[in-house]
Amino acid sequence: MVRVIGAVLLAVAAGVLVFWLAFNRIERRREACAIVPQPEHLEVRRRNFNLAPGAQIRAEAFCQSEAKLLAQRLRTSTGYGIPIAEKAPPRDAMIELTSQGAKKDLGAEGYEVEVTTGRITIRASSSAGIFYGTQSLLELLPPAIFSQRVGTNHTWAVPCLRIEDQPRFAWRGFMLDVSRHFFSPAEIEQVLDAMALHKLNTFHWHLTDDQGWRIEIKKYPRLTQVGGWRKRIGFNLDPKTSTAYGPDGRYGGYYTQSEVREIVAYAQRRHITIVPEIDLPGHSSAALAAYPEFSCSGGPYTTDMAQAVLPGVYCAGKEETFQFLENVLAEVMDLFPGKFIHIGGDEVCKQNWKNCPLCQALLAREGMKSVNDLQGYFVKRIEKFVDSRGKRVIGWSEIRTADLAPSTAIMDWIGGGLEAAQAGHDVVMSPEPYCYLDFYQSKDRSAEPPAAGAFLPLEKVYSFEPVPTGLEFSHHAHILGGQANLWTEYIPSLRQLEYMAFPRLSAMAEVLWSPKTSRDFRDLKRRLAIQEQRLEQLGIHHR
Ligand code: TNX
């Protein structure tokens, strides 16, 4: 009897041990899948698909471009030339990109990845979904898959698994200020690559501000000839930290329209929409340095002043101002295929309007009470023009007035998002305390390069909740998503830009893509350690 009980106990113990070992193995295999942002559903199985010479990609017509990008990346680091066929008989060692049997409920950007020992299938109903599937696939391979050189000594193994994934929000944004400091087209493309790796899909390009106008406008060449340059690097920074000096020693630069078109196409291939921002009516010193006649006083204005809120404000009382802005916006709208045009609207210094006879006459004529109403008037006029061209306005918190067009969206940085959504407007949440990557990354400021005033650690970015507290469920759909912003007063180089962006932007990408319920800071940190290896392979700096 005792013997029997002993044998049974032994058998049970052995069973538990075998189960525990197997479970642990799968758990370790699961941990090896360090995808950022975390997929909605991931189920790891036993065995691997081994990528080796002789592999083939089969891709339907709608996703040939995604197949090419994938093959290019694989060739760069593995050295394998992987042919792409639209139709090919099924065989082993095949990577298949297909819409056959794609689940409709995964939405416009969702995808599935299925890996067996003989085949990788990426399935999606849209090319965006296929693209995100390929990004996840790359992250299932060793980080060296992101290398710029062919690596030997690697086993290019992908664990057998199933992923089903889709984003939580449609607007997963990153804003870059290229006015305070200028970044070259090649540098912008590197930023877009880093965004694509994180499945971020909206690049908000802050193209104009007091310290520089960065986009060529054919009708007004002085905008870039004069407004694109300043005497010094400014902001008390060391001139050696930047290469953005012209032949005459002035600091600055701008994008020609043909460069803009190339960057837009580069972004499109990575499923990134670019939202251009022409900041108005404030933050306009650079434009007014070039064309002072569109200001109240007639100028002069300069790009060489470095304060947060400057009197560089367009005159609301002159018809010519609106003619000028409409001509500028018309050229901008032609360059960017996206729906949204960002018109800024933040931090308008209204003192000039108080002292301006033309603005005062306009106030009286329109029966408005104060210069605050002039801001509303300004926004409404621009909104009408943008709407008439079939585009939609988005602007910072301050553009919110009582009678905005229903199509106009608000970008909340200092509040108003909740109220705007309740009033039926679409909203992108970008509240300063969680989303400003120009803030310090450490409490010990002496250990950090100069940055903007506040403190924003990784953990706080990761705790960001884009849906405002108190917003009724029926209005949730108006929260398009969220965005991290990088103002560049203190960021003179790409290296410094990347130091400020990573890893905080990785955390933001996960907030915007992954289900809220899957957030786990410890697990994020584990995956970020691997994400940082990928960034290093790509030559992208991080803190
Ligand atoms: C506020 S956020 C600004 C920017 C500054 C930033 C510095 C916003 C819409 N305007 O002009 O660069 O603070 O953190």
Side-chain angles (χ1 to χ4, degrees):
M1 187 62 183
V2 173
R3 267 203 201 150
V4 172
I5 292 175
V8 166
L9 280 180
L10 206 65
V12 167
V16 167
L17 186 70
V18 166
F19 178 79
W20 185 80
L21 284 173
F23 177 79
N24 253 280
R25 237 182 106 225
I26 286 289
E27 200 43 39
R28 273 203 310 278
R29 287 173 64 75
R30 199 188 139 79
E31 287 198 349
C33 301
I35 299 175
V36 182
Q38 181 71 56
E40 191 178 66
H41 176 85
L42 183 152
E43 180 196 322
V44 189
R45 297 166 180 167
R46 289 185 309 150
R47 292 197 270 274
N48 297 325
F49 172 102
N50 285 315
L51 185 68
Q56 191 186 20
I57 295 177
R58 182 168 75 181
E60 285 166 27
F62 80 102
C63 55
Q64 284 286 310
S65 155
E66 289 67 28
K68 265 183 219 131
L69 280 180
L70 175 65
Q72 244 170 45
R73 167 87 336 264
L74 295 176
R75 190 180 52 239
T76 306
S77 50
T78 66
Y80 312 153
I82 303 178
I84 304 168
E86 212 180 295
K87 294 194 178 68
R91 64 172 184 86
D92 260 10
M94 188 179 257
I95 303 174
E96 182 169 27
L97 314 183
T98 180
S99 62
Q100 293 273 307
K103 292 195 173 160
K104 289 282 174 300
D105 59 354
L106 288 177
E109 297 177 294
Y111 67 91
E112 294 160 79
V113 177
E114 173 128 37
V115 182
T116 63
T117 52
R119 177 166 321 187
I120 295 174
T121 310
I122 298 176
R123 193 174 276 120
S125 52
S126 68
S127 56
I130 297 285
F131 181 72
Y132 295 131
T134 63
Q135 294 307 303
S136 290
L137 170 60
L138 291 171
E139 295 189 22
L140 293 168
L141 284 150
I145 203 71
F146 290 99
S147 170
Q148 311 296 51
R149 279 180 306 273
V150 174
T152 46
N153 294 333
H154 291 289
T155 312
W156 303 110
V158 183
C160 292
L161 51 62
R162 237 192 84 70
I163 292 175
E164 222 178 278
D165 197 14
Q166 63 182 323
R168 180 174 171 209
F169 291 105
W171 184 301
R172 302 180 301 280
F174 174 58
M175 186 218 76
L176 180 64
D177 165 11
V178 295
S179 171
R180 274 58 176 270
H181 282 98
F182 176 70
F183 301 91
S184 70
E187 291 175 327
I188 297 299
E189 290 181 356
Q190 172 141 338
V191 169
L192 293 169
D193 284 342
M195 285 180 66
L197 174 69
H198 290 89
K199 303 185 175 82
L200 292 165
N201 67 352
T202 308
F203 178 56
H204 169 177
W205 207 0
H206 184 77
L207 286 161
T208 73
D209 211 305
D210 294 306
Q211 290 80 16
W213 182 285
R214 305 285 177 222
I215 178 168
E216 178 191 26
I217 301 295
K218 303 266 193 209
K219 209 172 199 132
Y220 301 103
R222 285 172 59 81
L223 283 173
T224 42
Q225 286 164 2
V226 175
W229 304 92
R230 59 179 184 254
K231 285 198 201 76
R232 292 169 215 94
I233 189 169
F235 304 99
N236 295 324
L237 294 168
D238 178 355
K240 285 196 288 298
T241 51
S242 178
T243 51
Y245 288 91
D248 55 1
R250 290 183 308 169
Y251 176 89
Y254 64 91
Y255 311 99
T256 65
Q257 293 202 354
S258 88
E259 285 170 335
V260 168
R261 284 204 178 83
E262 271 174 38
I263 290 169
V264 165
Y266 189 92
Q268 263 176 339
R269 283 196 291 279
R270 287 153 185 79
H271 295 273
I272 295 170
T273 302
I274 304 190
V275 177
E277 178 181 351
I278 303 297
D279 205 344
L280 58 88
H283 282 291
S284 300
S285 304
L288 295 173
Y291 296 97
E293 59 268 39
F294 304 126
S295 69
C296 294
S297 67
Y301 285 88
T302 167
T303 49
D304 270 300
M305 275 159 74
Q307 289 154 39
V309 180
L310 286 165
V313 176
Y314 294 115
C315 178
K318 290 179 184 162
E319 263 318 290
E320 300 87 325
T321 304
F322 292 98
Q323 259 312 307
F324 164 76
L325 287 171
E326 289 181 6
N327 289 335
V328 167
L329 288 169
E331 287 192 36
V332 171
M333 286 188 269
D334 277 350
L335 289 166
F336 295 91
K339 265 260 155 211
F340 280 108
I341 299 291
H342 203 301
I343 63 162
D346 57 316
E347 301 179 314
V348 181
C349 163
K350 303 186 179 90
Q351 194 54 44
N352 293 7
W353 289 352
K354 282 191 184 143
N355 304 334
C356 170
L358 290 174
C359 290
Q360 290 303 318
L362 172 66
L363 270 181
R365 219 167 43 241
E366 295 281 325
M368 293 183 284
K369 285 191 217 62
S370 78
V371 287
N372 289 332
D373 301 327
L374 268 186
Q375 159 111 349
Y377 170 88
F378 214 105
V379 168
K380 289 298 296 173
R381 283 203 58 171
I382 299 295
E383 179 189 66
K384 201 169 154 206
F385 176 71
V386 173
D387 278 5
S388 76
R389 298 292 177 108
K391 300 271 191 184
R392 290 178 68 182
V393 163
I394 184 164
W396 297 110
S397 292
E398 293 97 318
I399 73 158
R400 209 164 58 86
T401 63
D403 58 347
L404 284 179
S407 63
T408 292
I410 298 292
M411 187 170 273
D412 176 341
W413 73 286
I414 40 163
L418 169 69
E419 296 77 5
Q422 286 170 331
H425 293 284
D426 284 343
V427 172
V428 174
M429 293 301 295
S430 194
E432 241 188 333
Y434 295 90
C435 301
Y436 274 46
L437 302 184
D438 56 334
F439 290 168
Y440 277 96
Q441 307 195 63
S442 159
K443 271 199 178 134
D444 177 12
R445 296 189 178 180
S446 65
E448 292 288 322
F455 171 49
L456 176 56
L458 178 67
E459 191 160 8
K460 185 161 178 185
V461 175
Y462 198 53
S463 73
F464 170 46
E465 172 46 42
V467 177
T469 348
L471 183 66
E472 302 75 7
F473 185 75
S474 56
H475 292 125
H476 280 200
H478 283 304
I479 306 301
L480 300 182
Q483 182 171 293
N485 298 332
L486 192 45
W487 301 99
T488 58
E489 284 94 334
Y490 301 103
I491 303 178
S493 66
L494 179 66
R495 198 178 152 77
Q496 178 64 8
L497 184 170
E498 291 170 343
Y499 176 85
M500 297 305 274
F502 298 106
R504 291 184 296 185
L505 188 56
S506 308
M508 180 61 78
E510 182 148 311
V511 165
L512 298 174
W513 179 284
S514 308
K516 190 180 174 184
T517 47
S518 77
R519 269 191 233 174
D520 175 344
F521 188 60
R522 271 189 54 199
D523 189 65
L524 174 77
K525 290 204 40 167
R526 177 184 69 73
R527 285 177 289 117
L528 285 184
I530 300 170
Q531 188 75 344
E532 284 166 6
Q533 293 174 33
R534 297 181 185 123
L535 292 174
E536 284 159 18
Q537 295 287 336
L538 288 164
I540 297 171
H541 192 48
H542 61 84
R543 183 172 187 269

